[in-house]
Amino acid sequence: MVCEYSFSAPFYDMVLLPFLGNIRGRVLRIVKELNPERIVDLCCGTGSQLRLLKKHGFHGIGIDLSESMLKVAKRGVNAPDCLLRNATATGFKSGTFDLAMITFALHETGWENAHAILDECQRILRPGGHLLIVDYASGKGAPKMADRVVGLIEFLAGKDHYGNFIRYKQSGGLDALFKGRDLSVVSETYAGYRSIVVKVLRKGRTGSSPPR
């Protein structure tokens, strides 16, 4: 929903920085290793990840449906280029980008919508391009306390948000979303006591096993 973050957008980064600062740094390191020329951040929110990348010489474009979030993204130093667009229909030409990023969006957007976003990612990525996902892990051995904390955060985010999160978990999370797609896992690392996964996938199957 476009106005969902109208109140929280100005404080969004301030609240989440203590929790996401380490993950954003990890994403930066991955981007440096991949060294892509053309980057898109789908559901970019306040653009904080793109802002960090721009500070280190990587210029990407963000899209989001929240005008409130994008207003915040346009402020301050290293403000990224962001557009008010739907992540399921970006309007970009097929094969435009070397790297697409989605951070903490698939679990909250609704199961069918999450599939549609991944369809669009595959379309706009060039062959051999990479998809970088940060989201809740799909039952990878997180302790019960970590799962409870995540569940509480999602519950406090609102009824619709929580409902989408529950379906995401019950449906198998990222593992189920990626099943049958022309994407091969390059790497995956965990954070938040294994409740969060940072996953890199390559468009086109290579037949190689992901590094552990």
Side-chain angles (χ1 to χ4, degrees):
M1 291 181 290
V2 174
C3 298
E4 182 180 0
Y5 296 100
S6 57
F7 174 76
S8 62
F11 315 103
Y12 192 82
D13 288 334
M14 187 185 306
V15 172
L16 291 183
L17 183 60
F19 305 99
L20 297 184
N22 179 58
I23 292 175
R24 298 213 188 282
R26 190 176 303 188
V27 169
L28 172 62
R29 291 192 294 273
I30 292 171
V31 173
K32 286 182 176 180
E33 291 174 4
L34 297 175
N35 196 30
E37 291 185 11
R38 297 163 296 176
I39 303 171
V40 63
D41 189 352
L42 304 177
C43 309
C44 67
T46 61
S48 56
Q49 185 68 67
L50 286 172
R51 193 184 303 272
L52 178 61
L53 294 182
K54 188 173 182 179
K55 180 180 178 181
H56 289 266
F58 295 95
H59 295 269
I61 188 166
I63 65 169
D64 203 282
L65 270 180
S66 171
E67 293 183 68
S68 300
M69 287 290 200
L70 294 182
K71 284 181 181 179
V72 176
K74 293 177 181 178
R75 300 173 186 166
V77 180
N78 295 314
D81 296 322
C82 295
L83 301 171
L84 183 67
R85 293 189 185 180
N86 194 322
T88 65
T90 63
F92 297 119
K93 292 181 180 179
S94 297
T96 297
F97 296 100
D98 303 305
L99 174 66
M101 304 187 301
I102 312 173
T103 303
F104 287 113
L106 295 177
H107 78 273
E108 71 171 28
T109 191
W111 192 246
E112 290 77 14
N113 215 39
H115 275 287
I117 291 173
L118 288 178
D119 289 343
E120 182 70 352
C121 276
Q122 289 186 255
R123 186 187 69 79
I124 63 178
L125 275 175
R126 65 167 177 80
H130 290 89
L131 174 60
L132 197 164
I133 302 283
V134 181
D135 218 311
Y136 295 124
S138 309
K140 296 293 184 179
K144 290 184 178 180
M145 182 56 68
D147 279 340
R148 288 170 182 166
V149 170
V150 168
L152 177 60
I153 292 171
E154 294 302 308
F155 178 78
L156 294 175
K159 182 179 179 180
D160 291 339
H161 191 123
Y162 185 65
N164 288 334
F165 165 73
I166 291 298
R167 185 174 180 193
Y168 169 87
K169 295 286 283 186
Q170 291 177 343
S171 299
L174 292 181
D175 290 344
L177 285 172
F178 293 139
K179 188 175 182 180
R181 294 183 176 275
D182 188 24
L183 295 166
S184 55
V185 178
V186 175
S187 68
E188 54 184 29
T189 58
Y190 295 89
Y193 299 98
R194 297 186 68 84
S195 63
I196 297 168
V197 63
V198 181
K199 189 184 290 278
V200 180
L201 304 103
R202 184 179 183 273
K203 182 178 178 180
R205 299 187 181 277
T206 63
S208 61
S209 299
R212 295 182 179 275

